[in-house]
Amino acid sequence: MLDAVTRLLDGLTAWQATLVVLALSVGGAFVVEMVVIRGASRLVKRTDTQFDNIFVRNVRWPLVISVGLAGIYVLTRTPAVVDSTLVTADQLNTFFGRPSLVVIIVTWAWALNTLVTEAVEEVKERGSRFDFAPVFSNVWTLVVAVGTGAALLRLYDIDITPLLGAAGVAGIAVGFAAKDTVANFFGGIALYFDDTYKIGDYIVLDSGEAGTVVEVGIRSTTLMTRDEVLVTVPNSALNAAKIINESAPQRRRRIRVPIGVAYGTDVDAFETLVTEIAQEEPLVLESPKPRMRFRRFGDSALEYELLCWVASPTRRARATHELNRAIYKELTASGIEIPYPKRDLTVTNTPGGTDNPVTPTAPFDGEAGDGVPSETDGGREER
């Protein structure tokens, strides 16, 4: 394309070629700014998304500068201009041609980096699901910096092959020296793509740690426990661990409150009473509705379980506390017995023994028999 432009300028004097090229470059920059950019800006304002606005805003100056400086670079390649100057073609290219290309390359690199950074910020505002997106912005900045440096070196005819070889050797050395950091970085990326958790989720690890995710970084993830203690876990460990996300796919969680009542209790009245208690508790959700489940016949009680839902995993302990208090008060007021293990000891004299009864001074274990105290759990038994 450059050769075609220079052929069009053949036959013109240096001043004529200069005026034509400058007129075309300045006019082209004016057209890009006043027609293309402004027209695109009016169009993108009608859309709902912000990504097109970010794109137009960031490519505006690189386009204008590229069109304007392209004329200077073309002049350094035009034979009529080169032959009429007091400097050589190489000097003209060194002081005017290459610097113009350097400005164009740096401008586009800056614009591309800013474009991706603003796009990442826009993505982050769409929810905590994308809180890990800044990692890709940092990676993109590194890629743009390396690519820009390589392009500038290539522009000045500096062979980058030895640098690539040295970079490969250095990369291997750094990889072995910082293998944990690299593992954490790629572990974080894997967690992001798997959508394992996001900021604000309550997670439980197979090692026993549990807490709310407060920060997701390149190297590690930080949890806030219920004791308000920060726990930092490497991403590589999280990537290899079993994680229970109690905030997904929805934040509400079911709680189970075990209750035992004595044999002989009116189960219909008991179930209705406990269900009403749960419905009146502010921490318990109205939907799904609380319900009772008769689990088993225990040794000393009819074993029930109250099932209800709370808004988030962090409310389970408080809701269980309030429900236990309310259930105990209501059952006591209603005369419904909450059984507990009872132990009755009956002591008899052995044949031929003394007439004085034996008073045990400590609990006994063992099989009940003549002269041996007996002990039963969960019921009242006499021998």
Side-chain angles (χ1 to χ4, degrees):
M1 181 177 179
L2 180 61
D3 294 337
V5 173
T6 55
R7 283 196 299 268
L8 292 176
L9 298 175
D10 287 343
L12 298 178
T13 64
W15 287 106
Q16 291 174 338
T18 301
L19 290 176
V20 169
V21 171
L22 290 180
L24 290 176
S25 60
V26 174
F30 181 81
V31 170
V32 169
E33 169 64 21
M34 302 301 295
V35 178
V36 178
I37 298 298
R38 294 195 177 187
S41 299
R42 286 193 294 267
L43 289 176
V44 298
K45 287 181 180 179
R46 303 174 184 176
T47 61
D48 296 330
T49 180
Q50 292 295 321
F51 293 106
D52 48 7
N53 293 288
I54 293 173
F55 177 80
V56 172
R57 183 169 62 250
N58 283 282
V59 301
R60 173 187 177 185
W61 287 113
L63 281 175
V64 174
I65 292 174
S66 298
V67 174
L69 293 180
I72 298 177
Y73 183 75
V74 170
L75 288 176
T76 62
R77 300 290 179 173
T78 303
V81 176
V82 173
D83 295 339
S84 63
T85 58
L86 298 177
V87 296
T88 64
D90 291 339
Q91 291 174 334
L92 191 64
N93 185 43
T94 300
F95 290 103
F96 293 96
R98 285 174 177 171
S100 62
L101 292 181
V102 168
V103 174
I104 292 174
I105 292 173
V106 172
T107 303
W108 275 105
W110 181 271
L112 291 175
N113 184 62
T114 306
L115 189 152
V116 172
T117 301
E118 292 184 5
V120 167
E121 293 298 325
E122 176 66 22
V123 168
K124 282 182 60 180
E125 294 179 358
R126 300 195 170 197
S128 57
R129 162 70 178 84
F130 303 98
D131 287 321
F132 199 73
V135 174
F136 299 99
S137 176
N138 296 334
V139 174
W140 175 252
T141 301
L142 179 62
V143 171
V144 170
V146 173
T148 303
L152 294 178
L153 292 175
R154 181 61 180 161
L155 179 63
Y156 281 91
D157 297 328
I158 299 176
D159 188 8
I160 62 173
T161 303
L163 296 178
L164 294 177
V169 175
I172 295 174
V174 171
F176 280 108
K179 60 179 180 179
D180 292 336
T181 302
V182 174
N184 290 329
F185 173 76
F186 286 104
I189 294 178
L191 291 171
Y192 173 79
F193 281 112
D194 290 342
D195 196 15
T196 306
Y197 54 79
K198 57 183 180 295
I199 291 180
D201 286 354
Y202 188 84
I203 63 174
V204 180
L205 308 182
D206 55 2
S207 57
E209 289 89 353
T212 303
V213 179
V214 295
E215 183 180 357
V216 180
I218 298 178
R219 190 191 68 83
S220 61
T221 296
T222 304
L223 308 180
M224 174 74 77
T225 67
R226 297 300 303 277
D227 297 327
E228 297 187 356
V229 177
L230 291 177
V231 178
T232 302
V233 186
N235 288 332
S236 59
L238 288 173
N239 194 40
K242 176 183 177 182
I243 301 175
I244 300 176
N245 189 346
E246 297 194 352
S247 298
Q250 54 191 0
R251 294 193 63 81
R252 71 181 187 186
R253 277 295 170 265
R254 187 167 70 172
I255 60 175
R256 302 171 181 266
V257 182
I259 313 168
V261 292
Y263 282 89
T265 301
D266 185 346
V267 293
D268 294 328
F270 167 70
E271 292 176 3
T272 302
L273 175 63
V274 176
T275 303
E276 291 176 352
I277 294 172
Q279 291 173 345
E280 294 174 358
E281 171 56 45
L283 293 174
V284 175
L285 299 179
E286 296 180 359
S287 178
K289 294 182 178 180
R291 54 185 181 270
M292 293 288 289
R293 288 293 181 265
F294 188 176
R295 294 306 186 192
R296 65 182 62 82
F297 294 94
D299 293 335
S300 60
L302 304 176
E303 298 182 5
Y304 272 87
E305 208 170 41
L306 169 63
L307 305 179
C308 54
W309 295 78
V310 292
S312 67
T314 56
R315 297 187 178 183
R316 289 183 303 183
R318 178 63 183 275
T320 302
H321 165 75
E322 297 295 341
L323 288 172
N324 283 333
R325 283 173 50 86
I327 291 171
Y328 176 75
K329 291 180 179 179
E330 292 296 331
L331 293 185
T332 301
S334 302
I336 298 177
E337 180 184 358
I338 302 176
Y340 54 89
K342 300 180 180 65
R343 296 175 177 85
D344 294 333
L345 300 179
T346 302
V347 181
T348 59
N349 292 332
T350 57
T354 61
D355 294 335
N356 296 327
V358 178
T359 302
T361 59
F364 290 89
D365 262 336
E367 296 293 335
D370 290 340
V372 180
S374 62
E375 181 180 3
T376 60
D377 289 341
R380 188 178 184 88
E381 180 178 351
E382 293 184 0
R383 293 181 182 271

